Amino acid sequence: MKKLMLLGDEALAQGVVDAGCSGVFAYPGTPSTEVMEYIQKCPEALQRDIHRTWSSNEKTAVEEAVGMSYTGKRTMSCMKHVGLNVAADPFMNSAFVGANGGHIVTVADDPSMHSSQNEQDSRFYAKFAMIPCLEPSNQQECYDMAFHAYELSEKYHLPVMMRLETRLSHSRSGVQRREMLAENELKLPEDRNQFMLLPAFARRKYKHLIEIQPDLTEESENSPYNWVEEGKDSSLGIIACGLAYNYVKEATTRYNCEYPILKISQYPIPVKMIEKFVDDCEKILVVEEGQPLVEEMLKGAIPKNTKITGRLNGAFTRDGEMDPNKVAVALGKETLSGKGLPEVVTGRPPALCVGCPHIDSYKSLNEALKSYVEDGQRYVFSDIGCYTLGFLPPYNSINTCLDMGASITMAKGAADAGLFPAIAVIGDSTFSHSGMTGLLDCIYDKTNLVIIILDNSTTGMTGGQDYTGFGKLEAICSGMGVEKEHIRVITPLSRQFEENVQVLKEEIEYEGVSVIIPRRECVQTMTRRMRAKKKQEAK
């Protein structure tokens, strides 16, 4: 098989396709988006007609993947780390019902929050659910681990987590492919009750999950992805997890450090391997991307054990990405940092694109709200997407951003407390993701608020993916109970400024649930579409 130059996300995607996957269910989110995008264009996936459309959100993605696993097919659900919070309910229960066909849950973490609202470590979720977790250290392991994960999943009838991080997801390297495996045939579970979580079954399944933990640990002890590299200087032993192994190798090679290294890329942690490694070294430095999961487990009930160092004792900061320089400093070496950026390279804060329809929407909203505030202070509840940039000058249009869908529910809570006017701003894809249930709460309580669904006809922030509510927003809102005369569609253009301000004022004055939909295509997707059209016409 030929060698491919792939991103970490793409290597994993090619791996699951070659390992016989029949369906991928995902919601876009940096840094995981490229997994699904690669499979949507992958020739082998097209030839096999592997399921590869976006789901409404991460929860439905996991549930759909569990359903495909029920039929005996190999499947994958995929998301970024905060998406796993949305999917936590089915994810945790999937450890109880298990898997029939292999089920991989891929989660891409974002240390240093390059494009995220928090910096959580998904390995804790795998430990919480008591399922195996694989943490590749390079693109080849991203590919190879897909095969390993399916074998592990089907051997123990459990979902297996694949944890990636931004640097690995978005860096490219050569990947050697294997022969493609055939897809599984349809085969329903031998135990008809395997996927039933009535309390009587759930108690039995929980006991079983606990009972197999030693077997999963033994798998890690013998995993081809966990190994020890001997070193001549045992005054320090380094435990390096996943991607951090590369940072350790770069720093120790640079300074000719001959410390022994234990690489961990499969969890539960290999206890015997670690115990022997720790016993053979005078001190231990734990290098892990994310939070101090392994370090905490090593210290266990002896918090004053000074032999173990890492993020907890200040050898590394508690936040931010790891890198070779941080490892070098922790080893007591000179910094590996190069020269700083030249002055000519100035920082570029994020901003709405030139021509973005949200700009005109925010200008209209700001003008409409002038009639309702005395000190110029507006209180508008917003959400996660491109439009969150409306917080920044010169717009200063929004005040909050909590999680997907929270704009509507936060505005409802504020309205329940007496705030007027209560305004929620949400994107069209985000509304489909998790805004609809908030709207249902508003309708049930006849809340007095205005919901503005910024419709740019795409999932803009992650690059322009499709979403499930496209073309149906008015029908959804009407079907859920919003009065048709208070579902207003406007066109966010400067020439319609006065008209749009008037619509906003009218709906603010209406005592009840109003939905205003400013609709104009994202300038980025429109540009790509027009280029493609010209290219097609030129043929």
Side-chain angles (χ1 to χ4, degrees), residues 17 223 257 481 495 521 527:
V17 170
S223 170
C257 298
R495 65 173 178 267
E521 185 178 1
T527 301

Side-chain angles (χ1 to χ4, degrees), residues 382-459:
S382 187
D383 228 292
I384 296 173
C386 299
Y387 48 91
T388 312
L389 298 173
F391 169 77
L392 300 172
Y395 317 108
N396 305 112
S397 299
I398 60 173
N399 301 92
T400 73
C401 174
L402 178 64
D403 61 48
M404 297 282 275
S407 59
I408 296 176
T409 36
M410 285 183 70
K412 180 188 182 303
D416 291 342
L419 182 71
F420 176 82
I423 309 289
V425 176
I426 190 169
D428 48 347
S429 177
T430 311
F431 178 73
S432 301
H433 177 283
S434 51
M436 292 190 291
T437 46
L439 173 59
L440 203 54
D441 285 354
C442 297
I443 293 166
Y444 180 76
D445 275 346
K446 298 180 175 60
T447 308
N448 185 19
L449 85 172
V450 176
I451 299 170
I452 301 172
I453 305 176
L454 298 170
D455 183 1
N456 61 1
S457 305
T458 190
T459 310

Side-chain angles (χ1 to χ4, degrees), residues 163-182:
R163 185 227 185 189
L164 278 64
E165 301 95 14
T166 306
R167 295 290 166 186
L168 180 58
S169 294
H170 290 172
S171 60
R172 200 174 290 276
S173 181
V175 174
Q176 183 62 56
R177 289 181 64 190
R178 306 182 188 183
E179 292 294 328
M180 283 186 71
L181 303 180

Side-chain angles (χ1 to χ4, degrees), residues 526-537:
M526 182 179 68
T527 301
R528 289 199 291 269
R529 183 169 55 79
M530 296 304 291
R531 284 176 182 164
K533 183 180 178 182
K534 285 184 179 178
K535 190 175 180 181
Q536 187 66 29
E537 290 173 349

Side-chain angles (χ1 to χ4, degrees), residues 169-238:
S169 294
H170 290 172
S171 60
R172 200 174 290 276
S173 181
V175 174
Q176 183 62 56
R177 289 181 64 190
R178 306 182 188 183
E179 292 294 328
M180 283 186 71
L181 303 180
E183 294 179 55
N184 288 352
E185 297 294 329
L186 278 176
K187 183 182 178 183
L188 298 178
E190 293 180 6
D191 177 6
R192 294 178 59 188
N193 301 323
Q194 181 182 336
F195 286 68
M196 170 59 72
L197 285 185
L198 281 170
F201 295 123
R203 293 187 195 104
R204 189 175 72 231
K205 292 176 184 301
Y206 187 41
K207 288 182 183 295
H208 174 70
L209 191 57
I210 293 171
E211 288 169 357
I212 64 172
Q213 292 305 303
D215 297 329
L216 299 180
T217 301
E218 191 64 23
E219 291 284 351
S220 293
E221 302 282 3
N222 300 302
S223 170
Y225 301 106
N226 296 337
W227 67 70
V228 173
E229 295 177 8
E230 302 295 339
K232 294 178 181 177
D233 184 358
S234 61
S235 63
L236 180 70
I238 303 174

